PDB file of all heavy atoms in Angstrom:
ATOM      1  N   ASP A 344     -33.364 -58.660 -38.957  1.00 95.00           N
ATOM      2  CA  ASP A 344     -33.512 -59.826 -38.092  1.00 95.00           C
ATOM      3  C   ASP A 344     -34.615 -60.767 -38.578  1.00 95.00           C
ATOM      4  O   ASP A 344     -34.642 -61.952 -38.225  1.00 95.00           O
ATOM      5  CB  ASP A 344     -33.817 -59.337 -36.672  1.00 95.00           C
ATOM      6  CG  ASP A 344     -33.649 -60.419 -35.627  1.00 95.00           C
ATOM      7  OD1 ASP A 344     -32.827 -61.315 -35.839  1.00 95.00           O
ATOM      8  OD2 ASP A 344     -34.346 -60.353 -34.603  1.00 95.00           O
ATOM      9  N   PHE A 345     -35.542 -60.278 -39.394  1.00 97.00           N
ATOM     10  CA  PHE A 345     -36.652 -61.070 -39.914  1.00 97.00           C
ATOM     11  C   PHE A 345     -36.178 -62.359 -40.572  1.00 97.00           C
ATOM     12  O   PHE A 345     -36.826 -63.403 -40.466  1.00 97.00           O
ATOM     13  CB  PHE A 345     -37.425 -60.222 -40.932  1.00 97.00           C
ATOM     14  CG  PHE A 345     -38.550 -60.946 -41.638  1.00 97.00           C
ATOM     15  CD1 PHE A 345     -39.804 -61.045 -41.054  1.00 97.00           C
ATOM     16  CD2 PHE A 345     -38.357 -61.511 -42.887  1.00 97.00           C
ATOM     17  CE1 PHE A 345     -40.840 -61.706 -41.709  1.00 97.00           C
ATOM     18  CE2 PHE A 345     -39.381 -62.165 -43.545  1.00 97.00           C
ATOM     19  CZ  PHE A 345     -40.632 -62.265 -42.951  1.00 97.00           C
ATOM     20  N   HIS A 346     -35.053 -62.313 -41.251  1.00 97.00           N
ATOM     21  CA  HIS A 346     -34.624 -63.451 -42.057  1.00 97.00           C
ATOM     22  C   HIS A 346     -34.088 -64.608 -41.220  1.00 97.00           C
ATOM     23  O   HIS A 346     -33.840 -65.692 -41.755  1.00 97.00           O
ATOM     24  CB  HIS A 346     -33.597 -62.988 -43.081  1.00 97.00           C
ATOM     25  CG  HIS A 346     -34.102 -61.861 -43.923  1.00 97.00           C
ATOM     26  ND1 HIS A 346     -35.185 -61.984 -44.755  1.00 97.00           N
ATOM     27  CD2 HIS A 346     -33.701 -60.556 -44.028  1.00 97.00           C
ATOM     28  CE1 HIS A 346     -35.431 -60.821 -45.349  1.00 97.00           C
ATOM     29  NE2 HIS A 346     -34.541 -59.946 -44.923  1.00 97.00           N
ATOM     30  N   PHE A 347     -33.951 -64.394 -39.915  1.00 96.00           N
ATOM     31  CA  PHE A 347     -33.526 -65.499 -39.057  1.00 96.00           C
ATOM     32  C   PHE A 347     -34.615 -66.573 -38.979  1.00 96.00           C
ATOM     33  O   PHE A 347     -34.320 -67.752 -38.762  1.00 96.00           O
ATOM     34  CB  PHE A 347     -33.199 -64.985 -37.651  1.00 96.00           C
ATOM     35  CG  PHE A 347     -32.594 -66.023 -36.756  1.00 96.00           C
ATOM     36  CD1 PHE A 347     -31.242 -66.353 -36.857  1.00 96.00           C
ATOM     37  CD2 PHE A 347     -33.360 -66.709 -35.824  1.00 96.00           C
ATOM     38  CE1 PHE A 347     -30.682 -67.332 -36.048  1.00 96.00           C
ATOM     39  CE2 PHE A 347     -32.817 -67.685 -35.003  1.00 96.00           C
ATOM     40  CZ  PHE A 347     -31.464 -67.992 -35.119  1.00 96.00           C
ATOM     41  N   TYR A 348     -35.877 -66.175 -39.186  1.00 98.00           N
ATOM     42  CA  TYR A 348     -36.961 -67.157 -39.146  1.00 98.00           C
ATOM     43  C   TYR A 348     -36.774 -68.214 -40.238  1.00 98.00           C
ATOM     44  O   TYR A 348     -36.903 -69.416 -39.979  1.00 98.00           O
ATOM     45  CB  TYR A 348     -38.315 -66.458 -39.311  1.00 98.00           C
ATOM     46  CG  TYR A 348     -38.669 -65.540 -38.171  1.00 98.00           C
ATOM     47  CD1 TYR A 348     -38.691 -64.154 -38.341  1.00 98.00           C
ATOM     48  CD2 TYR A 348     -38.991 -66.042 -36.912  1.00 98.00           C
ATOM     49  CE1 TYR A 348     -39.018 -63.304 -37.295  1.00 98.00           C
ATOM     50  CE2 TYR A 348     -39.320 -65.206 -35.860  1.00 98.00           C
ATOM     51  CZ  TYR A 348     -39.329 -63.837 -36.057  1.00 98.00           C
ATOM     52  OH  TYR A 348     -39.639 -62.997 -35.013  1.00 98.00           O
ATOM     53  N   THR A 349     -36.465 -67.781 -41.446  1.00 97.00           N
ATOM     54  CA  THR A 349     -36.277 -68.740 -42.536  1.00 97.00           C
ATOM     55  C   THR A 349     -34.923 -69.433 -42.447  1.00 97.00           C
ATOM     56  O   THR A 349     -34.757 -70.537 -42.959  1.00 97.00           O
ATOM     57  CB  THR A 349     -36.407 -68.034 -43.902  1.00 97.00           C
ATOM     58  OG1 THR A 349     -35.677 -66.803 -43.893  1.00 97.00           O
ATOM     59  CG2 THR A 349     -37.855 -67.726 -44.212  1.00 97.00           C
ATOM     60  N   TYR A 350     -33.961 -68.792 -41.810  1.00 95.00           N
ATOM     61  CA  TYR A 350     -32.650 -69.411 -41.599  1.00 95.00           C
ATOM     62  C   TYR A 350     -32.790 -70.614 -40.662  1.00 95.00           C
ATOM     63  O   TYR A 350     -32.144 -71.651 -40.865  1.00 95.00           O
ATOM     64  CB  TYR A 350     -31.696 -68.378 -41.005  1.00 95.00           C
ATOM     65  CG  TYR A 350     -30.248 -68.810 -40.905  1.00 95.00           C
ATOM     66  CD1 TYR A 350     -29.428 -68.796 -42.034  1.00 95.00           C
ATOM     67  CD2 TYR A 350     -29.703 -69.194 -39.689  1.00 95.00           C
ATOM     68  CE1 TYR A 350     -28.091 -69.169 -41.944  1.00 95.00           C
ATOM     69  CE2 TYR A 350     -28.364 -69.562 -39.595  1.00 95.00           C
ATOM     70  CZ  TYR A 350     -27.563 -69.549 -40.726  1.00 95.00           C
ATOM     71  OH  TYR A 350     -26.236 -69.920 -40.623  1.00 95.00           O
ATOM     72  N   GLU A 351     -33.652 -70.478 -39.652  1.00 95.00           N
ATOM     73  CA  GLU A 351     -33.876 -71.552 -38.689  1.00 95.00           C
ATOM     74  C   GLU A 351     -34.908 -72.566 -39.180  1.00 95.00           C
ATOM     75  O   GLU A 351     -34.828 -73.748 -38.850  1.00 95.00           O
ATOM     76  CB  GLU A 351     -34.331 -70.963 -37.350  1.00 95.00           C
ATOM     77  CG  GLU A 351     -33.205 -70.377 -36.539  1.00 95.00           C
ATOM     78  CD  GLU A 351     -32.197 -71.425 -36.119  1.00 95.00           C
ATOM     79  OE1 GLU A 351     -32.578 -72.348 -35.378  1.00 95.00           O
ATOM     80  OE2 GLU A 351     -31.036 -71.324 -36.543  1.00 95.00           O
ATOM     81  N   LYS A 352     -35.885 -72.101 -39.949  1.00 96.00           N
ATOM     82  CA  LYS A 352     -36.936 -72.980 -40.473  1.00 96.00           C
ATOM     83  C   LYS A 352     -36.964 -72.808 -41.990  1.00 96.00           C
ATOM     84  O   LYS A 352     -37.709 -71.985 -42.508  1.00 96.00           O
ATOM     85  CB  LYS A 352     -38.286 -72.633 -39.849  1.00 96.00           C
ATOM     86  CG  LYS A 352     -39.412 -73.599 -40.238  1.00 96.00           C
ATOM     87  CD  LYS A 352     -40.738 -73.204 -39.604  1.00 96.00           C
ATOM     88  CE  LYS A 352     -41.837 -74.155 -40.060  1.00 96.00           C
ATOM     89  NZ  LYS A 352     -43.168 -73.802 -39.511  1.00 96.00           N
ATOM     90  N   THR A 353     -36.146 -73.570 -42.671  1.00 94.00           N
ATOM     91  CA  THR A 353     -35.926 -73.356 -44.110  1.00 94.00           C
ATOM     92  C   THR A 353     -37.171 -73.617 -44.941  1.00 94.00           C
ATOM     93  O   THR A 353     -37.297 -73.094 -46.060  1.00 94.00           O
ATOM     94  CB  THR A 353     -34.777 -74.240 -44.620  1.00 94.00           C
ATOM     95  OG1 THR A 353     -35.060 -75.611 -44.287  1.00 94.00           O
ATOM     96  CG2 THR A 353     -33.458 -73.835 -43.981  1.00 94.00           C
ATOM     97  N   GLU A 354     -38.112 -74.408 -44.438  1.00 97.00           N
ATOM     98  CA  GLU A 354     -39.327 -74.686 -45.203  1.00 97.00           C
ATOM     99  C   GLU A 354     -40.359 -73.564 -45.093  1.00 97.00           C
ATOM    100  O   GLU A 354     -41.385 -73.569 -45.790  1.00 97.00           O
ATOM    101  CB  GLU A 354     -39.953 -76.008 -44.758  1.00 97.00           C
ATOM    102  CG  GLU A 354     -40.539 -76.019 -43.354  1.00 97.00           C
ATOM    103  CD  GLU A 354     -39.537 -76.387 -42.274  1.00 97.00           C
ATOM    104  OE1 GLU A 354     -38.320 -76.223 -42.497  1.00 97.00           O
ATOM    105  OE2 GLU A 354     -39.977 -76.832 -41.190  1.00 97.00           O
ATOM    106  N   LEU A 355     -40.121 -72.596 -44.215  1.00 98.00           N
ATOM    107  CA  LEU A 355     -41.031 -71.467 -44.060  1.00 98.00           C
ATOM    108  C   LEU A 355     -41.014 -70.600 -45.323  1.00 98.00           C
ATOM    109  O   LEU A 355     -39.951 -70.229 -45.817  1.00 98.00           O
ATOM    110  CB  LEU A 355     -40.617 -70.632 -42.841  1.00 98.00           C
ATOM    111  CG  LEU A 355     -41.523 -69.480 -42.430  1.00 98.00           C
ATOM    112  CD1 LEU A 355     -42.877 -69.992 -41.956  1.00 98.00           C
ATOM    113  CD2 LEU A 355     -40.862 -68.658 -41.316  1.00 98.00           C
TER     114      LEU A 355
END
Side-chain angles (χ1 to χ4, degrees):
D344 194 29
F345 176 84
H346 305 297
F347 187 79
Y348 294 110
T349 45
Y350 188 78
E351 282 296 298
K352 186 181 178 182
T353 55
E354 68 272 23
L355 186 65

